[in-house]
Amino acid sequence: MTTVSLRQAALSWTAPTKNTDGSSLTNLAGYKIYYGTSSKNYTQSVSVSGAATTTYTLQLPPGTYYIAMTAVDSTGAESAKTNEVSKTVN
């Protein structure tokens, strides 16, 4: 049996304050982080509760990951995905 050691990928972001139409964002409920091992192919996701939350740590095996996220409002509606970032976990 092979054991894979997980590593941490710490993420942080600035909470949005406006909707895409420029109006004030008043019902932000949390975020959804999408990630995978190939660009724009997100095979996993995690929901992050709380409008005030601006950090999250993923536990991942070594490799390169591509990550994007959305903001989620109180109705469950998601924003468009952010620009993708990549992170190599050693």
Side-chain angles (χ1 to χ4, degrees), residues 5-13 33-36 46 48 54-69 85-90:
S5 292
L6 297 180
R7 305 290 195 266
Q8 294 184 340
L11 308 174
S12 64
W13 58 90
I33 300 169
Y34 293 90
Y35 60 100
V46 61
V48 180
T54 58
T55 61
Y56 190 82
T57 301
L58 293 170
Q59 302 292 326
L60 301 167
T64 298
Y65 294 87
Y66 298 86
I67 304 163
M69 60 187 300
V85 297
S86 64
K87 171 72 176 168
T88 299
V89 177
N90 293 318

Side-chain angles (χ1 to χ4, degrees), residues 20 32-35 40-45 66-71 78-85:
T20 55
K32 194 160 185 184
I33 300 169
Y34 293 90
Y35 60 100
K40 300 197 183 345
N41 183 20
Y42 311 116
T43 56
Q44 298 180 60
S45 66
Y66 298 86
I67 304 163
M69 60 187 300
T70 60
E78 290 183 60
S79 69
K81 285 184 177 75
T82 61
N83 291 331
E84 180 179 85
V85 297

